[in-house]
Amino acid sequence: MPQSSSSHSPLAFARDYQAYRQLAMTTPFADARLLAAARFWLPRHAALGDPSYESYWREDLPTLLAVAPDLQDLLPAELEEIAAFLEAVSRHLVPAMTADTVWEMAARGWMYVGEAGRAWAALRRTPYGADMGEEPPTVICDDALELPQGLIDALAIAHSEEPRASVGSAEARHTLMDWLVRFDARWQADRESAVANEALCALIEYDGLMRPVRGRLRRLRGAIESIAGDNGADQVVFAHQLRGADDTQISGAYAALTALRELTRRSSSKAGPAAAAADSAGGAGRSTPSRSTRAGQAPLNGTSGPESRVRSSAHGSPLRGHFEFLDHGRELYGGDSLGFACLATAFGDHWSRTLHRERRLISADVALSGALEPDGRAAAISEASLARKVERVFFSPISALALPEANRAAAEALVETLRLQHPARRLRIIGIERAADLIADHYIFLPERVCLGEYAVLAAAKYGRSVKVQAPAFAVLCLILGWLVWPWLRSVIDDHIVNLEQRRNGIVALNRYGRVVWDHVYLPDTLENDCPKVVYDLDRDGKNEAGFYVSTGRESQDQARIDIFNHDGTLRFRLDARILGQYPGDYEGQEVYTPGLLQIVEVQGAPLIITGANGQNPSRFHVKIWSAQGELLGWYVNAGVVSQGLARDFDGDGTDDLVFPGYNIRMRSVALFVLKARGSEGVSPPYQDEQYDMSRVIPGNQMRYMLFPPSDLTLVYGYRIYNSYGGIYDVSSVGMRLNTREGGVPGEDGREMSWQIYYYLDDSLRVNRVDVEDAYKARREMLVREGKLPDVLWPEYFRDLQAAVRGWDGTGWVPDSLPKGL
């Protein structure tokens, strides 16, 4: 518990304050100063209300709390200290950074190491988990990567087991689930991203006595260019300043340029990077030289210096490397352990610019820290700094850390020590012996193929500039390049869209050759991950139009917007998938909707656009039907999720209708309903509810509404009180088959186990037969043997399932299947 200021004498307080200020003033990093302030003031927060101590905090805190520092390098336990400090001082001051933000950052840190309980406790201090219980859901996972989805599943199970939960409790649960879904999606996207010239560095912050005190992760960007002349020396421009090789902070960059030139020279005379790596491996030898470091100093590159710069340039043309830390300017630490990162960014940039059939992209899921000798060998980094670097990477979303081979054993021992406290965290240590190992490791570098047309143009440009090409060879080359260019030229002039892809914050339209026809870029965090997209010839001109959801995932007028573009990339029209003011939860105008459905169906030879948006608390799904010109033809609100619609004539009037399978959460059953393509409106049944006021809704004018309730196999387990939709299929001999998934039992691997029931429907959507898959029979017979379910004759069981199907007749639920035995 924090101590009161009364427990300190004024003299002791003044002495401690001066010692704290002396330490804080010599700390160059804002996050470390804030942490030091938290550790000093939190036990003494009562002093903030004592006038006799006002001069102390007036001198220290207003300036410190006026800015919001970057806290990404702090450990989650340290973030919790700062959050508690901000909560305490917020009674007297207004910090630029709120405690909620820091608690959320701490929760993210605990999630990265698989600590569900610590993450839950931190989230409960934020608006996302403020109304949740103190006890976290039971989640068992062997890998921290599985924790977000495990918590989501646990919350979903808890929600299903509390059907009568209060509105506030359900809303809090859905809010927290939404945070977990976004966190999991971003974590996965970060693991899969890669760029050519950016690498994540594991660096060290030193104190005034040159002792390593904190590991830090910084993203380094590199760019390479050749310098004219054969007798010049390599140059390094760091943070837009020309820096000499005797500068200890970037000494590793010069060794990286020498290693890059050697690898490039060898790759130019061999088949590619693999051959260059093999040659370099043979020439560099297997041993790693020992490196001495003076006590209290950052390690220096013993072979760097003006003499080595001129000597190394003899192996090829001198290079100029441009390096900078993104968003952080010039760092006050680094040293020769930047060598790995400098080489990686330089090699990726060089490889992406020169003539190759593939690019080499650096994975964003690996951190680098290591020194290089000019001959390409990896030299060990300081053991004194290794523990801090490993600790920093361990409490991060990064999956791997690349270090010199000489440090690998010690790093793995440190990881195992940390895993004793956090066993679900997986951190891979990659040992590097030489520069060639670094660029050849496919965990660090990810290859990306260059399309044939682009390669052909680059080849023509390169060889066309050579004055030594003889006429016969040039003619043959022209024929070959012409043969290569023609497919590329076809791909360039083809403006027919066949596919849409989401890249970063934009959408690109591609033709059949994978070439970009047009693209549109949106603001960051505007597009949902894998947002729904369609490509279709709406105006019948032989060229496809394209549409996709533009969903911010926040409260705004554009959160459920669909942009429809013409084939040339001009905006055709915009659609709003929401239906406001027609269902509980849609009246306030402050709800968050997520994309649910975007498809094109043909009705009587005319394309119709169907859109859908999800809302929560209560769960509902907005369905809208639009013409190809953007005219609204009908709308419908279903009390639960909806899947893709099908167009068929179900009433025999010669006009196709729209059938939608899905789920009715208020009836806890799989549902199937039919709408007219034009003129549909209203809300799905039932129209009474204990929790929500349904007096304002418009009863739907649906043609049919059917329920397929959960079976006894689902109900006996107690994990769920509902079944789920499993698919709908055309069956030529019968009509259609609707599958439901029963059970929903967590398996040993954490995945849900379910077994399917098959409902066969005729052309008028009447159930005329029911069957189950063999696994369903086996599971139910096992439950019979365990005494949990009564034994049945399967033909009678199927007829009971058939008789349980219900339909809405306008006033209530009635049997909706054909008579038994038909």
Side-chain angles (χ1 to χ4, degrees), residues 405-627:
E405 177 64 24
N407 297 110
R408 183 175 60 83
E412 290 176 343
L414 291 168
V415 171
E416 289 305 312
T417 300
L418 291 169
R419 285 197 62 200
L420 293 176
Q421 304 176 41
H422 312 286
R425 174 65 162 115
R426 301 287 184 269
L427 177 61
R428 176 184 177 188
I429 301 298
I430 302 174
I432 301 297
E433 293 191 41
R434 60 195 60 82
D437 296 338
L438 182 71
I439 66 172
D441 191 296
H442 283 190
Y443 197 95
I444 301 172
F445 275 95
L446 309 177
E448 180 183 73
R449 297 290 294 175
V450 178
C451 70
L452 184 62
E454 183 178 352
Y455 179 76
V457 171
L458 292 174
K462 176 180 179 180
Y463 292 107
R465 289 193 297 265
S466 175
V467 297
K468 297 180 181 180
V469 177
Q470 297 180 356
F474 186 73
V476 173
L477 178 62
C478 289
L479 290 175
I480 295 175
L481 292 180
W483 177 77
L484 292 174
V485 166
W486 172 238
W488 171 82
L489 184 59
R490 287 192 303 172
S491 71
V492 170
I493 64 177
D494 181 10
D495 62 351
H496 183 67
I497 303 168
V498 299
N499 189 27
L500 291 178
E501 284 188 5
Q502 187 172 346
R503 299 178 182 176
R504 294 183 180 271
N505 296 317
I507 292 287
V508 296
L510 307 175
N511 62 17
R512 72 191 67 186
Y513 303 99
R515 298 288 297 184
V516 175
V517 179
W518 51 259
D519 61 1
H520 285 279
V521 178
Y522 292 84
L523 294 175
D525 300 325
T526 296
L527 300 179
E528 292 280 341
N529 290 325
D530 195 21
C531 65
K533 301 175 279 288
V534 293
V535 175
Y536 205 89
D537 186 4
L538 293 174
D539 53 9
R540 305 301 196 190
D541 64 350
K543 294 186 176 180
N544 288 336
E545 284 70 45
F548 50 88
Y549 260 95
V550 181
S551 174
T552 62
R554 301 183 295 272
E555 296 176 6
S556 71
Q557 294 299 315
D558 292 334
Q559 62 178 300
R561 188 185 87 199
I562 299 101
D563 284 357
I564 306 294
F565 288 90
N566 293 312
H567 68 272
D568 59 358
T570 58
L571 183 65
R572 186 179 181 90
F573 48 75
R574 283 177 172 164
L575 306 175
D576 187 352
R578 301 173 301 168
I579 302 171
L580 302 182
Q582 298 294 340
Y583 197 81
D586 295 321
Y587 300 125
E588 291 80 5
Q590 297 180 349
E591 298 76 26
V592 175
Y593 302 89
T594 57
L597 180 63
L598 179 59
Q599 70 172 124
I600 309 293
V601 296
E602 289 272 354
V603 174
Q604 305 306 111
L608 300 182
I609 306 171
I610 300 177
T611 64
N614 280 304
Q616 299 295 328
N617 303 318
S619 176
R620 68 256 187 217
F621 194 96
H622 298 173
V623 177
K624 282 186 173 182
I625 307 168
W626 311 80
S627 70

Side-chain angles (χ1 to χ4, degrees), residues 91 119-120 246 248 301 316 337 349 388 420 422 434 499 511 539 587 632 662 691-692 758 781 799:
R91 303 185 186 96
W120 184 270
D246 54 350
T248 60
N301 189 333
S337 63
D349 183 72
R388 296 300 185 187
L420 293 176
H422 312 286
R434 60 195 60 82
N499 189 27
N511 62 17
D539 53 9
Y587 300 125
L632 182 62
Q691 298 185 32
Y692 302 103
Y758 306 139
E781 289 171 354
R799 288 195 291 269

Side-chain angles (χ1 to χ4, degrees), residues 9 74 113 115 153 155 186 189 192 234 386 404 410 483 536 557 566 570 623 648 668 684 702 764 787 798:
S9 68
L74 300 187
V113 295
E115 292 292 337
D153 294 341
L155 288 171
R186 178 162 294 183
E192 296 173 352
D234 292 338
L386 184 62
W483 177 77
Y536 205 89
Q557 294 299 315
N566 293 312
T570 58
V623 177
R648 291 184 63 168
R668 306 187 184 100
S684 67
Q702 66 277 343
S764 61
F798 295 153

Side-chain angles (χ1 to χ4, degrees), residues 151-161 173 177 719-720 722:
L151 284 172
I152 294 170
D153 294 341
L155 288 171
I157 293 172
H159 180 70
S160 68
E161 292 176 344
R173 187 178 291 111
M177 289 177 66
Y719 291 102
R720 285 185 172 180
Y722 55 85

